[in-house]
Amino acid sequence: MFPRLVLLAMLALVLPFAPAAAQGRFSPVVQVDDTVVTRWQLDQRARFLSLLRAPGDPNELAREQLINEAVQMNAVRAAGEETSPEAVDAALAEFAGRANLTTEEFVTALGQNGVGEETFRDFVTAGIAWRDHVRGRFASAARNSISRDQISQTLARTGTEGGVRVLLSEILLPTTTPETAFASRTRAAELAQIDDDADFAAAARRFSVAPSASRGGEQAWVALESLPDDVRGIVAGLTPGQTSRPVEIENAVALYRLRDLERVQAGAPSDLAVDYALYIAGPDRAAAEAVKASVDTCDDLYGVAEGLPPERLIRETVPQGALPPDVRGAIASLDVNEATTSVVRGANATVLMLCERKSGQESTVDFEIIGTQLLNARMTAQAVDYLADLRARSVITTLQ
């Protein structure tokens, strides 16, 4: 989307930037503890975000970003940490490179649109300083908390479809009436310019009507071939980190962002092996609930069934596709060693427990790659909580 800056530069000649009155341009608008955010910083950041086509109101987003960055940089300084000029220069070059521009070319394009180099540099510096601070604070503990079993479970949950699997995020905008359709198509054209996972997730939470909106639009791994024809063709043309053009589907216009993809060895979802236990508790549902509450693993059910006819406890490992439909449906929502009493057998209540999921075919995904994905997800969640705590303990005063 950044090549649009050239066009925007031309538009700037027709629609010049109207800064705040000269005497008030450096007046404080927000104070975060001892850090002051000025009107000039706020106006500059809003214009910068507008050029990047960030979703939402650029003024509101700019104010929120600058407050967060003040809180973050205060924490970085309190920890005695510094970001080297070399690291900042490398990050500036990487950011500009997304638009196939050098840092100098990118800064020139910004300047033609009324955005100073210092605004770009401050934005990037705050981002890498916070990233390094969070890594130093949480990475070791987060890495130690991720076990090989968790990685195996993640691989197993993704299924084993042969060929290509994709990891998508989605935004669905309604087109149920002519009015909403027009508004949604206009918004979709803007959101299609997003080139950052976090920005896409924020837009999904704000605008999407899909059930995945609360997760930032994130979906689980899915086989490319299982996608609808019109969607599959669009997604197949993406590379990780790209957002699709708007796609018209039933009652909605959709956007898809490809977060990752992988090739796996031949297989099918039915090749996913499931180790489960089904205990027949009898007609009393309360008795089944009591058993469910008393066991922690599948092996515990052997003690419960001791002395009973062998048909009262079924324990087997079978391909997922061979499971009875009601068991397969109930198992899909269970974690390992989690149980449910939702399955019945005749007049009898049961306790169904998932013992293990096993990939029917070996994925070509490296354990280290999955471990890194889990680590990043965990640190992201910790960083969000950490920032919320820092903000709660900061004195934030709105002055304008």
Side-chain angles (χ1 to χ4, degrees):
M1 69 180 184
F2 290 105
R4 293 177 178 272
L5 289 170
V6 177
L7 175 60
L8 289 169
M10 298 170 62
L11 292 175
L13 298 175
V14 182
L15 300 172
F17 176 46
Q23 70 179 72
R25 68 190 317 190
F26 296 114
S27 61
V29 293
V30 178
Q31 182 165 343
V32 181
D33 292 330
D34 294 330
T35 301
V36 171
V37 177
T38 67
R39 169 60 60 186
W40 172 252
Q41 290 173 301
L42 183 60
D43 290 343
Q44 282 279 290
R45 179 61 65 88
R47 174 162 283 272
F48 179 60
L49 293 173
S50 295
L51 294 175
L52 298 186
R53 295 292 183 89
D57 184 309
N59 291 298
E60 292 180 6
L61 182 58
R63 182 180 289 266
E64 188 69 9
Q65 279 190 1
L66 289 169
I67 291 173
N68 282 343
E69 288 171 13
V71 171
Q72 292 164 349
M73 293 304 291
N74 285 343
V76 170
R77 286 188 288 268
E81 299 167 357
E82 294 183 0
T83 302
S84 70
E86 294 77 15
V88 173
D89 289 341
L92 292 171
E94 189 276 331
F95 196 100
R98 300 177 195 174
N100 296 319
L101 298 173
T102 66
T103 301
E104 291 74 17
E105 290 169 337
F106 191 77
V107 167
T108 297
L110 290 175
Q112 290 171 341
N113 287 273
V115 177
E117 178 181 357
E118 67 276 13
T119 296
F120 176 39
R121 184 172 292 273
D122 288 347
F123 174 78
V124 170
T125 300
I128 60 174
W130 176 246
R131 179 201 64 193
D132 292 344
H133 178 67
V134 167
R135 283 179 179 173
R137 187 177 181 90
F138 296 115
S140 179
R143 188 177 293 109
N144 292 338
S145 70
I146 298 173
S147 68
R148 192 173 181 86
D149 285 344
Q150 289 174 309
I151 297 174
S152 297
Q153 290 171 21
T154 299
L155 285 171
R157 274 191 175 278
T158 65
T160 56
E161 295 90 349
V164 176
R165 294 187 300 180
V166 291
L167 194 61
L168 297 173
S169 292
E170 64 178 355
I171 295 175
L172 301 187
L173 304 174
T175 56
T176 50
T177 68
E179 293 77 18
T180 59
F182 177 80
S184 291
R185 288 171 184 139
T186 301
R187 175 163 287 145
E190 297 174 355
L191 299 182
Q193 307 302 318
I194 295 175
D195 73 343
D196 179 82
D197 286 342
D199 290 343
F200 192 93
R205 292 188 182 94
R206 183 173 182 182
F207 300 117
S208 181
V209 295
S212 61
S214 62
R215 303 189 302 273
E218 292 187 357
Q219 298 178 301
W221 284 100
V222 62
L224 181 63
E225 289 302 311
S226 69
L227 295 174
D229 291 343
D230 50 351
V231 175
R232 181 171 64 247
I234 298 296
V235 171
L238 300 177
T239 58
Q242 283 190 323
T243 300
S244 75
R245 64 172 175 78
V247 182
E248 295 283 343
I249 60 176
E250 186 176 0
N251 293 326
V253 57
L255 294 163
Y256 298 95
R257 183 168 178 81
L258 180 61
R259 305 195 325 269
D260 204 355
L261 84 165
E262 65 153 329
R263 295 186 179 276
V264 296
Q265 297 174 1
S270 59
D271 292 325
L272 184 63
V274 176
D275 177 5
Y276 76 98
L278 182 69
Y279 171 70
I280 312 299
D284 186 359
R285 178 68 178 268
E289 291 289 347
V291 170
K292 174 188 171 186
S294 69
V295 295
D296 296 317
T297 69
C298 289
D299 290 344
D300 293 340
L301 289 170
Y302 289 115
V304 175
E306 186 175 1
L308 298 176
E311 61 268 20
R312 293 281 297 275
L313 178 61
I314 301 169
R315 173 76 183 271
E316 59 183 357
T317 300
V318 297
Q320 180 171 275
L323 290 169
D326 56 345
V327 172
R328 183 166 66 246
I331 285 288
S333 62
L334 296 180
D335 290 323
V336 173
N337 292 323
E338 188 176 11
T340 178
T341 59
S342 64
V343 174
V344 297
R345 285 292 177 266
N348 294 315
T350 72
V351 177
L352 172 66
M353 179 173 275
L354 173 61
C355 310
E356 188 179 4
R357 287 187 177 92
K358 302 176 181 178
S359 295
Q361 295 286 335
E362 184 70 20
S363 172
T364 57
V365 174
D366 192 291
F367 265 59
E368 183 177 349
I369 294 174
I370 295 296
T372 299
Q373 291 173 347
L374 290 173
L375 175 64
N376 289 338
R378 191 155 298 178
M379 284 201 300
T380 296
Q382 289 174 318
V384 169
D385 291 341
Y386 178 42
L387 177 58
D389 181 60
L390 289 174
R391 281 194 61 148
R393 291 190 282 114
S394 299
V395 178
I396 301 173
T397 305
T398 299
L399 304 174
Q400 288 187 35

